[in-house]
Amino acid sequence: MGRYFGRKALIYALTLVVAVTLNWMIPRFMPGDPIGQMMGRVRTSNPEANERMRAYYEDLFGLDQPLWQQYLNYWRELFTGNLGISTWSFPRPVLEIVLGALPYTLALLIPAILLSWYAGNKLGALAARRKWLDNSLLPLSYVLTATPYMWLAILLVWAGGIVLGIFPTARAYSGNLTPGFNWTFISDFASHWVLPFLSLFLVALGGWAIGMRNLVIYELESDYSNYLSSLGAPSRLIRRYAFRNAMLPQVTGLALQLGVILGGNILTEVVFGYPGLGKLVLDSIAARDFFLLQGVLLFIVIGVLICNFIIDIVYVWVDPRTRTGMQGASV
């Protein structure tokens, strides 16, 4: 087992190196000049002063050095936990801005991923053996999973915020409140949270329900199910085996869908003006802030890798064939 997880850790480490390198390169392929954006906010009428100011900022951010030197500096600073200074919110450190936005993204993503996965699998398994539910749930699931996150978010804003007037349509909390652990803020935060959560939850729910429904039907029609049925095994027992076998591809699918859900979360946060990592990505691109964009993408990459590693551990736990193979390899 140690060899298995060691190999996995090595693969994830190599993936992290490649991802961090791409993370450093992508902002530099973007058109625009981050120093020029800053200069636009503080530019004076004196050309000489502007030149000195530009030289100061380029030296401060290390942009006057060759690209290979900037790349090495980036890695060196990463090992010290320094993600640089934001040009968009100068002189705030990137790490401080990202950590301030991270709780809002996690508050949306974690419940949406876990609840949609659990509820989608339950509904899909029920639809596989109840005709009326299959006829009603399947078309709805196809519609939900084919709906773009942004479009559903706009629809929810219109229905829940404008027509019904029940939920706020933007921000994570009212502008007159200060974040804190008190009932006023928590209830206000919850009311702002509902619509962004639903836009993520509903799209993912349809995909999980369709996948589980198809897998359970396949398992119920397989040879071992027919064999158990011919032996007189109860239908409840056969369905239980079918559900267990159908869960394994769904666990693998959860790892593969993390990136898609994260992409949907970015769009959802943009629509609702939610102050999470997704909105920071948009703000950093608009401001040509290399350093902030690198910091946000780095957190997203690390989050996806950690989640995939956890799913690998869970897969070993739920799949006895994997455990048997690992024990055989260690003998």
Side-chain angles (χ1 to χ4, degrees), residues 105 108-109 149 200 260-270 278:
T105 294
L108 276 183
L109 272 181
Y149 285 98
L200 293 172
V260 177
I261 298 174
L262 275 171
N265 181 68
I266 291 174
L267 296 176
T268 300
E269 288 185 3
V270 170

Side-chain angles (χ1 to χ4, degrees), residues 218-300:
Y218 173 80
E219 294 293 338
L220 290 174
E221 294 176 351
S222 62
D223 291 341
Y224 77 87
S225 295
N226 292 327
Y227 181 66
L228 284 174
S229 180
S230 66
L231 293 177
S235 300
R236 185 183 181 87
L237 177 66
I238 298 173
R239 289 200 301 269
R240 187 184 304 167
Y241 280 122
F243 182 75
R244 285 182 179 177
N245 287 333
M247 282 298 294
L248 297 176
Q250 292 293 81
V251 173
T252 307
L254 180 60
L256 297 175
Q257 285 295 313
L258 283 175
V260 177
I261 298 174
L262 275 171
N265 181 68
I266 291 174
L267 296 176
T268 300
E269 288 185 3
V270 170
V271 171
F272 287 96
Y274 212 75
L277 296 183
K279 187 168 184 304
L280 272 188
V281 169
L282 179 68
D283 291 338
S284 59
I285 292 175
R288 306 294 189 273
D289 190 340
F290 290 180
F291 308 96
L292 183 56
L293 183 59
Q294 287 173 179
V296 176
L297 294 179
L298 179 67
F299 267 72
I300 292 175

Side-chain angles (χ1 to χ4, degrees), residues 137-330:
L137 178 65
L138 191 63
L140 179 62
S141 297
Y142 278 122
V143 171
L144 286 176
T145 197
T147 303
Y149 285 98
M150 181 176 284
W151 190 84
L152 182 60
I154 294 172
L155 194 63
L156 288 171
V157 166
W158 174 77
I162 298 175
V163 176
L164 299 176
I166 299 175
F167 300 107
T169 57
R171 300 171 58 89
Y173 54 88
S174 300
N176 59 342
L177 294 179
T178 302
F181 288 101
N182 54 74
W183 174 246
T184 303
F185 176 77
I186 292 173
S187 60
D188 185 73
F189 176 82
S191 66
H192 285 77
W193 172 85
V194 172
L195 293 182
F197 164 76
L198 284 178
S199 67
L200 293 172
F201 173 80
L202 291 175
V203 174
L205 176 74
W208 294 125
I210 293 171
M212 177 54 83
R213 178 253 183 199
N214 294 338
L215 287 167
V216 169
I217 290 176
Y218 173 80
E219 294 293 338
L220 290 174
E221 294 176 351
S222 62
D223 291 341
Y224 77 87
S225 295
N226 292 327
Y227 181 66
L228 284 174
S229 180
S230 66
L231 293 177
S235 300
R236 185 183 181 87
L237 177 66
I238 298 173
R239 289 200 301 269
R240 187 184 304 167
Y241 280 122
F243 182 75
R244 285 182 179 177
N245 287 333
M247 282 298 294
L248 297 176
Q250 292 293 81
V251 173
T252 307
L254 180 60
L256 297 175
Q257 285 295 313
L258 283 175
V260 177
I261 298 174
L262 275 171
N265 181 68
I266 291 174
L267 296 176
T268 300
E269 288 185 3
V270 170
V271 171
F272 287 96
Y274 212 75
L277 296 183
K279 187 168 184 304
L280 272 188
V281 169
L282 179 68
D283 291 338
S284 59
I285 292 175
R288 306 294 189 273
D289 190 340
F290 290 180
F291 308 96
L292 183 56
L293 183 59
Q294 287 173 179
V296 176
L297 294 179
L298 179 67
F299 267 72
I300 292 175
V301 166
I302 291 175
V304 170
L305 291 177
I306 290 175
C307 290
N308 275 274
F309 191 68
I310 292 172
I311 290 172
D312 279 339
I313 296 173
V314 172
Y315 199 86
V316 172
W317 177 58
V318 299
D319 187 1
R321 294 170 299 183
T322 306
R323 291 198 300 273
T324 303
M326 291 165 59
Q327 289 167 359
S330 62

Side-chain angles (χ1 to χ4, degrees), residues 12 28 32 65 72 92-93 95-96 121 124 159 165 170 181 197 204 237 246 254 259 273 297 307 314:
Y12 282 117
R28 283 160 178 79
Q65 298 178 1
L72 294 180
R92 292 180 66 195
L95 185 61
E96 177 187 317
N121 284 325
F181 288 101
F197 164 76
L237 177 66
L254 180 60
L297 294 179
C307 290
V314 172

Side-chain angles (χ1 to χ4, degrees), residues 12 22 33 54 58 72 93 123 273:
Y12 282 117
L22 291 174
D33 175 15
R54 169 174 279 280
E58 287 181 345
L72 294 180
L123 286 174

